[in-house]
Amino acid sequence: MKLSIGIVGLPNVGKSTLFNALLKKQVADVANYPFCTIEPNVGIVPVPDERLPVLAKIVKTDKIVPAVVEFYDIAGLVKGAAEGQGLGNKFLSHIREVAAIVHVVRLFEDQNVAHVTEKIDPPSDIQTIESELILADLETLNKQKRSRMDATKAQLATEAVAKRLAGQLNKGISARNISLTDEEKTIIKPLNLLTLKPVIYAFNVSDKQLENKKNTEEKIAKWLHGYMAISHPTIRPSNDSIIFNAKLENEILTFAEEEQKEYLKQYQLEDTGLNRLIKKSYEILGLISFLTAGTIEARAWTIKKGTLAPQAAGVIHSDFEKKFIKADVIPYQEFVNCGGWAEAREKGKVQSMGKDYPMNEGDVVEFKVGS
């Protein structure tokens, strides 16, 4: 499955700088003025996976194919975007197709980089963006046609869910924070509501703020809880956030992987912003990876947690789901310990699983399919 992430935020908060770091090359036009990003920059970033080179060595293949994430760098939104201010709805529409949103929030102070509101106020910035997304969703819901006298049961159900959502959105409550049944989520899914998408807050901090990491994270926690308490007093606050320094992420691009990790230790960071962001994205979307390893390639595949074996096979090729017979499965570490398929089978470590087997993170698998 394709994992797509939209990077949003006010102008000049570091979205494009982060995007450049994520792609490990300068592909976005970073400039100190609003709307320097005129079209959404799209980049495909491999998901770091230390298991793949190990598998490739065991099965003696030179081809490694990691899972990937599509990042969309979307132009800075401003207050009134839903009504066409700034670059308006044109850019809100780009967010509709992504699976999750990374909301970049500026914490760093820099007199050389103008803030669109002329002050650093993270809770206010969060509120501005969220309000614009809510207004855009209200416009989407208001465009839904009212059911006629001969409306079907499905049309009436859609209208009822849309009406209930609109009522809550008008109170400033985002769709993701409205309790919906699985059936209601299915009904409303085709509308691609912006505020129904999971969000990760990415706080762009200064060197000094990064050095005082614990204090900075405590402030962020208070802001998030304060923002949620005001906007959604009955909703549990979101803790889906990371801190990063966009300039630092770009500076270490030329470092070897081990050098990067060693350098980041001085800031009490275990990994780069890219890796932490991807990990958090997998977490909030409930995603896992299964692995395939053979003479052709060693490869990682992204699926939803709980996906059954036939549907996982279908991610590789649609025919595999239709013609699924069984899945030969072994945990990654067991596969490594055995040194490959042959010894793993000899030791009885490979399990043959049927159609009701839910795939696990790190399963190494060979699917058996009919002709």
Side-chain angles (χ1 to χ4, degrees), residues 13-14 24 43 71 94 118 132 146 160 180 213 215 253 299 304 310 325 357 368:
V13 296
K24 296 182 168 60
F71 281 100
H94 292 310
E118 298 182 358
E132 292 307 315
R146 292 190 175 184
L180 296 171
K213 182 171 174 282
N215 183 50
L253 292 181
R299 185 164 183 163
K304 279 273 190 183
I325 296 175
Y357 175 72
K368 305 298 182 182

Side-chain angles (χ1 to χ4, degrees), residues 141 144 157-167 169 187-188 191:
L141 292 171
Q144 298 306 299
T158 299
E159 184 177 354
V161 177
K163 184 177 181 180
R164 186 163 82 83
L165 281 171
L169 288 167
I187 288 171
I188 212 69
L191 296 182

Side-chain angles (χ1 to χ4, degrees), residues 248 251-261 263-264:
L248 174 65
E251 287 171 0
I252 64 175
L253 292 181
T254 57
F255 293 7
E257 186 176 338
E258 288 305 314
E259 291 177 327
Q260 288 181 4
K261 290 183 178 181
Y263 189 81
L264 291 170

Side-chain angles (χ1 to χ4, degrees), residues 107 109 122-123 126 203 205-206 208-209 212-227 241 243:
L107 262 66
E109 297 273 2
I126 291 172
F203 290 88
V205 302
S206 65
K208 186 176 180 180
Q209 289 166 330
N212 296 300
K213 182 171 174 282
K214 185 177 179 181
N215 183 50
T216 300
E217 288 178 332
E218 287 175 354
K219 284 184 178 180
I220 288 170
K222 288 180 181 178
W223 283 328
L224 287 178
H225 283 247
Y227 161 66
S241 66
I243 65 170

